[in-house]
């Protein structure tokens, strides 16, 4: 069997076009959705992510502000800047690019963002809303992974979904969103004994470990939907996922590639959350 490839680039374009219609409708009412992205320090990878986020906003005609702060910015200065953006009516979404320098408490920073502008979905109120089945802003990467499943026509209700990884930004929210859609969910971690026993039973397998190609074809149930969140850079400079694509695609029913799978969806859902935030403000 050769799996159907879930093309994240094409689906991301399709989803962006859907949200552009909604952004245009707001603009016709005189409201331009606005996103502020704050970066503290000079981390090269973070700079690329931030540039891509600002570019995606421009593509949809959104207002965006790119706030660059030096690596030695005091925590209080960053918190004051966030507070100013919380009170700025042009801004509907605020994102602080993580990681922040070590002298800044990232929990304090995430808690300082107004829950109504928390387009990354990391504020405890939004985490709680997701956990209690009243989702407001969903964290962008798992939200994008859910969109890929939807667009690929994968039915979730009653299926066994296995999520490998339990981070706050991917694994846990992914598991909650699958649960919300009535999957039977198992979460596996580095402490799971006999991981393959669980992955082989998954109708839907989501992998977010940061361990290159750790899930091989023999660990996958024939016909399963496989979502590979991992992004790992190999010695030759190329990217690969947490799933061994070549062996997995011979067993899975459908699978996301890396690059070109979940990656393009993350920024798309950030833009979607920003438009959504503006819609809520507009009533
Ligand atoms: P974290 O390092 O925060 O979490 C990794 C998780 O994987 C942990 O829960 C860990 O378990 C688990 N894990 C590690 N090794 C194993 C193993 N051998 N077996 C089972 N579980 C294991 O990573 P993130 O969630 O932040 O990211 C995961 C991957 O997704 C990375 O490759 C990252 O680059 C990528 N990513 C991609 C994004 C995108 O836009 N496409 C966005 C965000 C992340 P334990 O808790 O026990 O330590």
């Amino acid at each position: 069997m050769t799996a159907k490839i879930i093309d994240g680039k094409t689906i991301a374009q399709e989803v962006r076009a859907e949200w552009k219609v909604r952004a245009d409708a707001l603009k016709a009412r005189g409201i331009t959705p606005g996103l502020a992205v704050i970066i503290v320090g000079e981390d090269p990878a973070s700079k690329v992510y931030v540039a891509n986020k600002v570019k995606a906003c421009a593509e949809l005609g959104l207002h965006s502000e790119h706030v660059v702060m030096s690596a030695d910015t005091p925590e209080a200065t960053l918190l004051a800047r966030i507070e100013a953006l919380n009170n700025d009516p042009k801004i509907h979404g605020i994102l602080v690019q993580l990681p922040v320098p070590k002298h800044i408490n990232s929990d304090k920073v995430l808690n300082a963002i107004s829950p109504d502008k928390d387009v990354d979905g990391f504020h405890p109120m939004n985490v709680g809303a997701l956990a209690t089945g009243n989702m407001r802003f969903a964290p962008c990467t798992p939200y994008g992974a859910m969109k890929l499943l939807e667009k690929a026509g994968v039915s979730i209700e009653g299926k066994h979904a296995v999520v490998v990884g339990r981070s706050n930004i991917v694994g846990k929210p992914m598991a909650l969103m699958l649960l919300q859609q009535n999957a039977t969910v198992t979460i596996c971690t580095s402490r799971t004994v006999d991981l393959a026993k669980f992955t082989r039973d998954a109708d839907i397998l989501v992998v977010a470990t940061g361990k290159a190609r750790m899930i091989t074809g023999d660990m996958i149930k024939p016909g399963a939907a496989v979502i590979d969140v991992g992004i790992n850079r190999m010695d030759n400079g190329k990217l690969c996922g947490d799933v061994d694509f070549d062996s997995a695609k011979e067993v899975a029913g459908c699978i996301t590639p890396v690059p070109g799978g979940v990656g393009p969806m993350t920024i798309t859902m950030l833009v979607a959350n920003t438009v959504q935030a503006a819609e809520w403000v507009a009533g």
Side-chain angles (χ1 to χ4, degrees):
M1 179 198 277
T2 299
K4 180 180 130 192
I5 307 301
I6 303 175
D7 179 352
K9 277 191 199 156
T10 303
I11 294 174
Q13 284 309 323
E14 197 182 316
V15 174
R16 282 185 200 198
E18 290 166 11
W19 282 93
K20 185 168 188 317
V21 172
R22 293 170 69 160
D24 288 347
L26 281 170
K27 285 166 82 174
R29 294 167 59 191
I31 301 154
T32 301
L35 174 71
V37 184
I38 305 179
I39 182 167
V40 188
E42 290 289 318
D43 180 55
S46 294
K47 278 167 92 173
V48 173
Y49 295 144
V50 169
N52 287 338
K53 286 166 184 173
V54 171
K55 193 170 141 226
C57 285
E59 229 180 85
L60 264 76
L62 269 51
H63 168 69
S64 68
E65 289 182 22
H66 181 183
V67 181
V68 183
M69 303 179 96
S70 64
D72 59 359
T73 300
E75 184 181 272
T77 308
L78 173 59
L79 295 177
R81 190 63 197 253
I82 292 171
E83 188 53 22
L85 292 165
N86 282 342
N87 295 316
D88 183 344
K90 292 194 303 304
I91 296 299
H92 303 92
I94 303 169
L95 177 156
V96 178
Q97 185 67 45
L98 298 175
V100 285
K102 287 199 170 55
H103 67 279
I104 295 175
N105 179 332
S106 56
D107 282 340
K108 246 187 185 175
V109 170
L110 298 179
N111 292 358
I113 297 172
S114 161
D116 295 330
K117 298 192 177 188
D118 171 40
V119 283
D120 248 346
F122 295 156
H123 190 286
M125 262 180 71
N126 289 320
V127 174
L130 176 61
T132 52
N134 301 299
M135 187 173 102
R136 295 176 77 241
F137 293 115
C140 300
T141 298
Y143 188 16
M146 291 299 288
K147 233 348 157 198
L148 288 178
L149 288 170
E150 179 196 317
K151 295 282 184 184
V154 175
S155 70
I156 295 175
E157 181 155 331
K159 299 290 164 59
H160 184 200
V162 174
V163 179
V164 189
R166 57 171 157 182
S167 71
N168 289 337
I169 63 169
V170 187
K172 276 185 208 156
M174 185 76 209
L176 287 168
M177 277 185 249
L178 287 161
L179 189 62
Q180 185 63 23
Q181 302 233 343
N182 299 316
T184 301
V185 181
T186 301
I187 304 177
C188 297
T189 72
S190 65
R191 314 297 171 92
T192 298
V193 176
D194 196 357
L195 178 66
K197 181 178 86 180
F198 296 97
T199 59
R200 272 192 213 114
D201 191 52
D203 302 306
I204 299 168
L205 178 62
V206 182
V207 189
T209 60
K211 299 283 182 299
R213 294 179 173 155
M214 66 166 283
I215 302 290
T216 44
D218 59 322
M219 298 169 77
I220 294 172
K221 181 176 181 175
V226 178
I227 302 289
D228 186 356
V229 182
I231 303 177
N232 308 287
R233 193 162 298 276
M234 294 179 290
D235 292 341
N236 64 9
K238 291 191 174 168
L239 297 179
C240 76
D242 295 346
V243 176
D244 178 47
F245 184 79
D246 289 339
S247 61
K249 77 172 193 314
E250 299 306 321
V251 187
C254 57
I255 184 168
T256 58
V258 178
V262 176
M265 295 302 290
T266 298
I267 292 182
T268 300
M269 301 330 290
L270 172 69
V271 174
N273 277 347
T274 303
V275 176
Q276 177 73 80
E279 285 180 346
W280 282 331
V281 169

